[in-house]
Amino acid sequence: MNKQVKIGEEIIDLREIDSTNNYAMRLINQGIASHGLIVKADYQTNGKGQHGNIWTSEQGKNLLLSVILDTQEFPLEDQFILNACFCNAVASLLMEHYEIKDVRIKWPNDVFVGNRKIAGLLMENVLRGSVWQYAIVGIGININQVQFPLLNRTTSLKLLLNKEQSLKQSERYLVKAMNANYAAFLKDPEGIFNEYQQMLIGYDEKISFKKKGEVFTASVVGVSKSGELQLLFDGSVKKFRHKEIELILD
Ligand code: BTN
């Protein structure tokens, strides 16, 4: 597999599919996946979110895509940093190309503007033994959808900028941002990880969390290499896995 190939040099453009992540997984299972390939769709009948949730999106309104990466040469411990790299890419797309302010990452995989979610990522890994063979990075970004019946606290580019956006243009910007961030990850994974941590909601500021029904205030000091959130409260740093705690937004 040629890893010099850039992300998005080849794009499979589907009108409708169950899930672009599933389609990418099928290519891998059939032995016909290639590094950097993007699978995108106008509509998903079974879009997948984190933790078994569904990801719904109106037909042709948003960016729904999955990137296949050849990860054979990476240590398994880099899984979370690679995930962080793509969160940064989505955040930088919004800040640099659309000049949106107040873009933050909600640990572990959500991209927010203010206190509203605009994008979510779902990374699925393919391991053979102890070799990390592939990563499928699924990305959903709300572009032109303005009504979100199932979810509140959601926004889109159109809602933020008061103007219909070109999906094609946002896809090009995203490809550019992914290539820039992936190149930075290859050169300096620590740098990418630091950037991710500093973008987190609650980084170096007090915010509220809920654990087993109990609310407490803490500040985010960072994330461990394996992706646990490190919170400072009661004078010491404690680590939490996803779903152990919930961030409370205003
Ligand atoms: C989340 O926030 O829960 C993650 C959402 C990830 C959605 C994207 S849309 C393209 C790709 N295909 C899927 O089935 N899911 C991801």
Side-chain angles (χ1 to χ4, degrees):
M1 189 175 279
N2 183 0
K3 285 197 282 174
Q4 303 309 313
V5 172
K6 289 205 166 148
I7 293 169
E9 257 174 38
E10 203 191 331
I11 299 181
I12 297 179
D13 205 335
L14 305 164
R15 190 173 291 257
E16 182 177 312
I17 193 69
D18 52 348
S19 144
T20 56
N21 270 34
N22 289 353
Y23 187 97
M25 189 64 86
R26 291 195 285 271
L27 295 181
I28 291 172
N29 291 337
Q30 290 160 24
I32 51 172
S34 56
H35 176 78
L37 174 69
I38 291 181
V39 179
K40 71 178 259 268
D42 292 343
Y43 185 68
Q44 297 183 124
T45 54
N46 191 21
K48 299 192 297 184
Q50 294 158 35
H51 295 278
N53 292 330
I54 53 164
W55 183 261
T56 53
S57 167
E58 283 173 18
Q59 165 96 34
K61 293 272 169 90
N62 302 316
L63 274 184
L64 306 166
L65 57 85
S66 303
V67 185
I68 297 177
L69 301 168
D70 179 342
T71 47
Q72 280 185 77
E73 278 157 30
F74 300 149
L76 276 173
E77 307 83 73
D78 278 1
Q79 284 183 17
F80 192 81
I81 305 190
L82 188 62
N83 166 73
C85 162
F86 282 83
C87 290
N88 292 2
V90 175
S92 73
L93 152 85
L94 300 172
M95 294 184 296
E96 285 161 28
H97 294 290
Y98 293 98
E99 295 177 3
I100 292 175
K101 310 253 179 314
D102 203 16
V103 178
R104 311 291 292 275
I105 296 168
K106 179 170 168 278
W107 171 80
N109 278 6
D110 295 335
V111 182
F112 269 61
V113 178
N115 59 7
R116 290 183 178 264
K117 179 166 170 171
I118 188 163
L121 286 87
L122 175 68
M123 184 164 121
E124 297 184 272
N125 294 301
V126 177
L127 308 184
R128 298 248 159 89
S130 60
V131 178
W132 179 18
Q133 284 216 313
Y134 293 100
I136 299 170
V137 186
I139 303 176
I141 308 178
N142 299 330
I143 307 289
N144 285 321
Q145 187 166 332
V146 290
Q147 281 176 330
F148 298 93
L150 295 175
L151 314 156
N152 43 29
R153 290 198 179 283
T154 307
T155 193
S156 66
L157 273 183
K158 184 172 176 180
L159 284 173
L160 290 165
L161 303 173
N162 279 318
K163 194 167 164 248
E164 186 88 3
Q165 300 296 317
S166 153
L167 265 184
K168 197 74 218 154
Q169 186 66 269
S170 60
E171 180 192 322
R172 277 194 220 107
Y173 288 153
L174 178 63
V175 168
K176 210 168 153 201
M178 290 193 294
N179 275 300
N181 279 269
Y182 187 66
F185 161 81
L186 294 176
K187 244 171 80 187
D188 177 20
E190 286 294 325
I192 280 285
F193 199 36
N194 287 338
E195 219 177 280
Y196 167 86
Q197 293 176 84
Q198 285 165 23
M199 298 261 330
L200 289 172
I201 296 177
Y203 183 81
D204 212 13
E205 64 180 340
K206 282 205 166 154
I207 48 165
S208 300
F209 290 90
K210 199 195 270 180
K211 184 173 191 274
K212 289 187 185 147
E214 238 176 75
V215 176
F216 62 97
T217 28
S219 60
V220 174
V221 289
V223 175
S224 71
K225 279 247 156 86
S226 54
E228 294 152 315
L229 189 66
Q230 298 163 327
L231 294 184
L232 174 66
F233 67 100
D234 288 345
S236 66
V237 175
K238 295 184 183 66
K239 288 186 193 175
F240 296 92
R241 284 190 303 272
H242 196 202
K243 289 288 160 191
E244 243 183 313
I245 46 164
E246 191 192 325
L247 173 68
I248 304 174
L249 292 161
D250 303 330

